[in-house]
Amino acid sequence: MREIPVYLFTGFLEAGKTKFIQESLEDPRVNDGTPTLLLMCEEGVEEYDPSAFASANVFIAPIENEEDLQPDSLQRLLDAHKCTRVIVEYNGVWSLTTLYEKMPESWVVAQEYLFCDANTFVSYNANMRQLVYDKLRSCELVVFNRCGPDVDRMALHKIVRAVSRRADIAYEKPDGNVDYDDIVDPLPYDLEAPVVDIADRDYAIFYADLSDDFRKYNEKTLRFKGMVVKSPKLSGDAFIFGRHVMNCCANDIQFTGLAAVWPDAKLLAKGEWLVITAHVTVKWHRAYGKKGPVLNVTHVEHVEAPEDPVATFY
């Protein structure tokens, strides 16, 4: 089955979605003749000008009601025009879950962007928090446009980061120039604590930070939940301990683990879930084939698998 890439643009009315999509389709580097289905799920003040598109192979299909999002009807629209990619301008007051559940099986979201008016976003968040959360939780990039000098970027940053640490943030100024967010967020756990407790929801952040600079974890004592992976190449007291992590979509889920050593490791079963306490030492280990962080396990607690075993960047 051939996968159909879907480029998803979300945001509330007058957030700049239409303008961005219009400009993208006018650019021959983006619109190279690929037959494209543009699903228009809301009508704002701005309208599309198909005559300016770099390619004529763009077919606009209005979707008037959330209930009209059905797999069969969406597939018929795609087939009728023989399109091989989809662009969605999504209605800000519709649930994204509806779209994800109703897309045809072969449709795969390739990119998801959220567009916001920097001057109204804080108010939207205060009054329609659930809808804002719905759009923030899975997007890859948040674009705050109309971002003048009086806009409190820290306030915008905090709202985004309360939901997602994965999304990039861009601030588009009135003159069209763009600044990218470079505010450094503190780790969600205390790396100076006697025992560094890493919550379930923070595993992906922990592993990414450790991978960037594992030496700062040397001689730290950690406690976190993970899964046992066994390998015949390792000695009897060694195993791999970690979790599956999803960066942006189901296609990029991969297991991320660390070498662990425990005298009773032979008693552990592959796929077993534990909460371990371990002292980290940076040294050569066969699991890495070089120096790396090794978990010297001091305490083991057998636990049930978490409700969501795949860790994500929230």
Side-chain angles (χ1 to χ4, degrees), residues 59-287:
F59 306 93
I60 301 176
I63 306 293
E64 295 183 357
N65 302 296
E66 191 172 356
E67 296 75 20
D68 295 335
L69 293 169
Q70 298 295 333
D72 291 345
S73 59
L74 293 176
Q75 188 63 45
R76 281 195 298 270
L77 286 170
L78 188 81
D79 294 341
H81 301 292
K82 297 181 173 59
C83 294
T84 55
R85 72 175 172 185
V86 177
I87 295 175
V88 181
E89 181 183 1
Y90 203 62
N91 192 311
V93 298
W94 295 358
S95 169
L96 269 179
T97 301
T98 303
L99 178 65
Y100 274 97
E101 289 181 347
K102 300 300 183 181
M103 286 193 308
E105 186 178 349
S106 62
W107 292 22
V108 178
V109 174
Q111 293 177 331
E112 181 180 334
Y113 298 151
L114 170 60
F115 284 79
C116 308
D117 184 332
N119 300 284
T120 60
F121 181 73
V122 173
S123 176
Y124 269 110
N125 183 66
N127 295 295
M128 298 191 296
R129 174 61 177 166
Q130 188 56 44
L131 286 173
V132 171
Y133 174 84
D134 178 61
K135 307 305 179 293
L136 278 174
R137 60 181 178 173
S138 55
C139 69
E140 299 164 52
L141 173 67
V142 184
V143 179
F144 289 108
N145 52 45
R146 309 180 183 101
C147 195
D150 296 331
V151 169
D152 184 352
R153 295 188 181 188
M154 179 60 78
L156 304 179
H157 172 96
K158 287 182 176 179
I159 292 172
V160 175
R161 288 290 175 255
V163 179
S164 172
R165 285 178 174 261
R166 179 176 63 87
D168 292 322
I169 305 172
Y171 306 101
E172 183 180 5
K173 294 180 282 190
D175 63 6
N177 289 319
V178 175
D179 293 333
Y180 286 91
D181 187 278
D182 59 0
I183 299 172
V184 178
D185 294 291
L187 292 170
Y189 46 84
D190 183 2
L191 198 54
E192 300 305 318
V195 177
V196 182
D197 271 302
I198 299 161
D200 281 1
R201 74 191 301 259
D202 297 331
Y203 178 84
I205 295 169
F206 154 69
Y207 188 84
D209 188 66
L210 179 142
S211 298
D212 286 342
D213 183 9
F214 60 76
R215 294 186 183 279
K216 75 182 183 183
Y217 287 82
N218 191 34
E219 303 300 332
K220 302 293 184 181
T221 298
L222 311 178
R223 181 164 53 223
F224 63 98
K225 184 185 293 183
M227 184 176 68
V228 173
V229 171
K230 291 293 194 75
S231 170
K233 297 180 180 180
L234 300 180
S235 60
D237 65 347
F239 60 101
I240 304 298
F241 191 69
R243 294 184 66 169
H244 286 90
V245 171
M246 180 173 69
N247 285 303
C248 66
C249 62
N251 290 334
D252 71 5
I253 293 175
Q254 60 180 337
F255 185 80
T256 58
L258 303 172
V261 177
W262 188 46
D264 294 324
K266 60 182 178 296
L267 302 177
L268 299 175
K270 178 182 177 181
E272 187 173 6
W273 283 86
L274 311 171
V275 171
I276 67 166
T277 303
H279 184 73
V280 179
T281 53
V282 173
K283 60 183 179 180
W284 187 94
H285 195 278
R286 187 171 183 177

